[in-house]
Amino acid sequence: MIKNKHSLPVLIVGQGLAGTILAHTLDQADVPFHILDAPKNYFTSSFAAGGIFNPVTGRKLEKSWLVDELFSYLFPFYTQLEKSLSGSFFHPMPLFRPFANEEMKSWLLERKESIDNEYLRWTDEGVWIEKAGWLDVENVLNCSKQYFQSKNIRQEIALNPSSDLEILREKILFQGQAYACVIFCEGFHAQQHNPYFGHLNFLPAKGELMKIKSNDASQEYILNKNGFLLPLGNHEFKVGATYRWDDFSNQPSTLAQLDLKNKLKSFGVDSYEEIEMSTGVRPATQDRRPLVGFHPHLPLAIFNGFGSKGVSLSPYFAQQWLAEWKGEGQINSEASIRRFYHLFST
Ligand SMILES: Cc1cc2nc3c(=O)[nH]c(=O)nc-3n(C[C@H](O)[C@H](O)[C@H](O)COP(=O)(O)OP(=O)(O)OC[C@H]3O[C@@H](n4cnc5c(N)ncnc54)[C@H](O)[C@@H]3O)c2cc1C
């Protein structure tokens, strides 16, 4: 138990989506914090994200992990955040999954009764998914940066966890200031540079998407067919996304570009203007569960491993992180890093 918990601020390292959502959660609970983020040339996942939240997954349209809990939390959280930041970034929007072909259609319709759930609405052409939508992640990060800067609690700096922190038993010193805890929200960089948590089960996945302008697609819904076509307004769309596990550079690749153009063809979008490519590395994990919790011996913590679902997972788990920090609850055991405590030496 850390004695200084309630008197000293905490230090959040990384202001991608995870660090941002955790920071707002602490802010709403009046827990004092400072936040550090590396300069823009640092490579992030969040700035490349499509930002989609979708309650079902896979070919069998199953409800995704913990969806009822996550989604009942996600809507009020982002709506409230829009109000407190005076921003507009949360966009609920229907999502349509057309049947891939006649064979898939009969396969699904034969199993409709066992597959069906409250998020699905079946039609002859495919299935509509309720409670889906997208978060304009870039906008959230930019509004939040301004908000933290206006409170004078954000610094642009790439922390070197090995040399910049003085870790004592119950507090940590950074630039002469004492903190009750340092929470690492470094995305996939943690695996490469973090001496305290880098050995956890990260499985980073590079992803690319393309922004286009076209009159060939509907602006009313997100199309999901082995990839997605996300309407941004003004006839602009994001087309995504690719997956790769062998390259973590921030260079767009011609292979990914080709893959995205093939997706556009399969969506029936033939005429379009390419605007830009975005590249990021998702902080995914081998067991597809987040990495949330506390170092077993030091006043350090982690909020990471949200893979391709940062938008829907991070608000709920920020709340869980805070509850465990305050001694009022425990993080879900599938997401808590307690599952890896045997990997930490004493
Ligand atoms: C192509 C693509 C499409 C995606 N689409 C979706 C989607 O539709 N829906 C969805 O929910 N998710 C999507 N994702 C995943 C989403 O981007 C992630 O889940 C989420 O953004 C992860 O956020 P993060 O803050 O953990 O990591 P990051 O965004 O990588 O942020 C980490 C931050 O930490 C900073 N940092 C790292 N180390 C240090 C240090 N030592 N000192 C200071 N700062 C540091 C970095 O500068 C960065 O700002 C997509 C990802 C990609 C790549």
Side-chain angles (χ1 to χ4, degrees), residues 15 38 54 67 76 85 111 124 137 139 165 178 187 189-190 224 231 269 284 307:
Q15 199 225 309
N54 173 5
V67 68
L85 294 177
R111 290 160 185 78
D124 248 10
V137 176
N139 195 346
L165 302 173
H189 297 282
N224 183 194
V269 178

Side-chain angles (χ1 to χ4, degrees), residues 13-19 36-39 42-53 137 157-161 185-189 205-209 228 241-242 278-283 303-312:
V13 180
Q15 199 225 309
L17 184 64
L36 308 179
D37 196 34
Y42 238 63
F43 191 26
T44 82
S45 181
S46 302
F47 276 105
I52 295 172
F53 49 94
V137 176
I157 180 171
L159 180 94
N160 181 337
C185 309
E186 300 168 288
F188 87 107
H189 297 282
K206 179 171 176 177
E208 297 187 45
L209 57 77
F228 62 79
T242 62
S278 311
T279 303
V281 177
R282 305 170 183 89
F303 192 66
N304 204 330
F306 297 108
S308 54
K309 296 199 170 201
V311 172
S312 46

Side-chain angles (χ1 to χ4, degrees), residues 184 186-188 190-192 194-204 283-287 289-296 300-305 335-345:
F184 292 103
E186 300 168 288
F188 87 107
Q191 188 194 36
Q192 304 177 329
N194 192 302
Y196 308 105
F197 296 108
H199 62 299
L200 297 181
N201 71 339
F202 288 98
L203 184 63
T285 60
Q286 288 165 29
D287 61 359
R289 294 293 177 256
L291 296 169
V292 179
F294 300 85
H295 193 283
L300 300 171
I302 183 164
F303 192 66
N304 204 330
S336 170
I337 62 159
R338 281 174 203 277
R339 69 193 191 279
F340 297 117
Y341 273 5
H342 59 282
L343 299 179
F344 289 79
S345 52

Side-chain angles (χ1 to χ4, degrees), residues 1-5 10-11 161-162 165-173 179-184 194-199 292-302 321 324-325 337-338 341 343-346:
M1 176 62 93
I2 302 161
K3 273 195 213 138
N4 298 310
K5 232 175 177 172
V10 299
L11 182 64
S162 308
L165 302 173
E166 190 179 342
I167 304 178
L168 307 173
R169 242 168 67 87
E170 287 174 343
K171 64 181 175 192
I172 297 193
L173 299 178
Y179 292 94
C181 178
V182 175
I183 314 159
F184 292 103
N194 192 302
Y196 308 105
F197 296 108
H199 62 299
V292 179
F294 300 85
H295 193 283
H297 316 300
L298 302 170
L300 300 171
I302 183 164
W321 186 93
E324 188 161 325
W325 168 246
I337 62 159
R338 281 174 203 277
Y341 273 5
L343 299 179
F344 289 79
S345 52
T346 45

Side-chain angles (χ1 to χ4, degrees), residues 7 10 19 29 36 51 56 69 75 82 89 108 116 157 177 182 192 202 236 255 258 261 264 278 280 298 330 332:
S7 51
V10 299
L36 308 179
V56 302
E69 289 88 335
F75 278 73
E82 277 192 324
F89 39 72
L108 282 166
D116 205 15
I157 180 171
Q177 160 82 48
V182 175
Q192 304 177 329
F202 288 98
E236 291 186 358
L255 208 62
L258 195 65
K261 286 183 175 177
L264 277 170
S278 311
L298 302 170
Q330 271 209 349
N332 178 302

